[in-house]
Amino acid sequence: MYDSSETENRTMSKTTTSPARLPRDQRRAQLIDVAMDVFADHGYAQTTMDEIAQRAAVSKPVLYQHFKNKRDLFFTLIDFQFDTLRDRVIERMEAVDPASNTADEETAYQAVCGVFDFVAEPRGLYRLILDSSMDEPEELEARKERFVSQMVEAVSPYILDNSILDPASSKFITRGIASVVMFLATRWAEEHVPGRGGAEPIPLEKAVEHTVRFVAYGAIGFDLSNNPSA
């Protein structure tokens, strides 16, 4: 299980030495940084604005100057994490040379690697997007759906290229692939991270390799080169 004591010690040492007054944008960034650790450690239901203010070494009025309430703060963090994950995956995919003979395989690898890199970070902030402790979670589910739709729009052209799929089918299959990769990545982060998970450890490189292979062999069924009569 993720050890929150290291996070708390790091956060406290970082925030308690902060200047008494910071420019508004810097203070907001600091509060977001601290709040991410608190929410990731305790989950939405068990997190309080009092604890966030204490960990950030500010008064509650200062915290409420930046965020209307706990829900507003939480969704700010959720949006930040989804943006971070999306940008990381897309940047890795776009870095692949499309003229390479192995461009398709490398693009798939980089996309999967981006997700695993995200969940592998020691702070365990990926747990924010898995939180299920919120009452009336419709808004959270809507944000998750928006994120998945953005990823489908970004990734589906790679699935569609040189395949038997029409655009609608490509998006349908891409949604399934995205769900599988996220499931495997988060299960790895929860259970198999060397030195952190409770189950038998699986190195990051091996987890990525297995996931890419799993996705790639499924995608073969839609490849024109393997379906000459399509």
Side-chain angles (χ1 to χ4, degrees):
M1 183 61 66
Y2 182 68
D3 185 0
S4 63
S5 61
E6 292 184 7
T7 299
E8 183 169 355
N9 291 336
R10 181 183 65 250
T11 305
M12 287 298 293
S13 64
K14 176 171 56 180
T15 57
T16 54
T17 58
S18 299
R21 293 185 181 275
L22 291 174
R24 182 174 178 83
D25 58 341
Q26 292 184 29
R27 177 63 74 191
R28 179 180 174 86
Q30 180 226 6
L31 295 173
I32 287 174
D33 190 52
V34 171
M36 283 194 291
D37 284 324
V38 179
F39 277 110
D41 290 346
H42 304 310
Y44 180 85
Q46 298 300 318
T47 293
T48 67
M49 296 293 269
D50 288 288
E51 181 175 1
I52 294 170
Q54 182 179 9
R55 294 265 293 265
V58 300
S59 65
K60 281 183 66 176
V62 169
L63 186 57
Y64 281 107
Q65 287 173 8
H66 295 268
F67 307 99
K68 292 188 298 184
N69 48 43
K70 184 173 80 168
R71 195 177 185 91
D72 176 45
L73 173 54
F74 180 73
F75 282 124
T76 299
L77 308 183
I78 287 292
D79 289 341
F80 183 86
Q81 288 302 305
F82 278 140
D83 288 347
T84 299
L85 175 55
R86 183 194 64 241
D87 293 347
R88 184 169 299 182
V89 170
I90 292 175
E91 286 173 6
R92 279 182 167 273
M93 293 173 64
E94 291 180 342
V96 176
D97 181 3
S100 169
N101 292 333
T102 59
D104 290 344
E105 293 86 348
E106 183 66 17
T107 299
Y109 178 85
Q110 292 300 332
V112 172
C113 197
V115 177
F116 274 82
D117 278 350
F118 175 80
V119 303
E121 292 185 343
R123 293 171 70 183
L125 300 182
Y126 71 89
R127 287 175 294 175
L128 288 165
I129 63 178
L130 301 180
D131 197 320
S132 60
S133 64
M134 173 181 288
D135 292 332
E136 301 178 359
E138 293 80 10
E139 189 175 354
L140 177 58
E141 293 304 315
R143 276 172 158 80
K144 290 181 180 179
E145 178 61 26
R146 183 176 65 190
F147 166 75
V148 172
S149 296
Q150 290 172 342
M151 292 305 304
V152 167
E153 290 294 330
V155 176
S156 62
Y158 293 92
I159 304 297
L160 179 63
D161 186 39
N162 195 38
S163 78
I164 64 174
L165 298 173
D166 58 80
S169 297
S170 177
K171 292 180 180 179
F172 172 69
I173 294 301
T174 302
R175 184 174 292 271
I177 291 173
S179 298
V180 167
V181 172
M182 282 299 300
F183 174 81
L184 292 175
T186 53
R187 291 280 64 75
W188 172 80
E190 290 288 294
E191 301 173 6
H192 298 285
V193 173
R196 192 173 80 194
E200 185 174 352
I202 301 175
L204 172 61
E205 295 78 10
K206 182 177 289 188
V208 171
E209 179 184 344
H210 290 336
T211 302
V212 171
R213 184 179 293 271
F214 179 75
V215 170
Y217 274 100
I220 284 176
F222 303 108
D223 193 326
L224 279 175
S225 63
N226 290 281
N227 295 272
S229 62

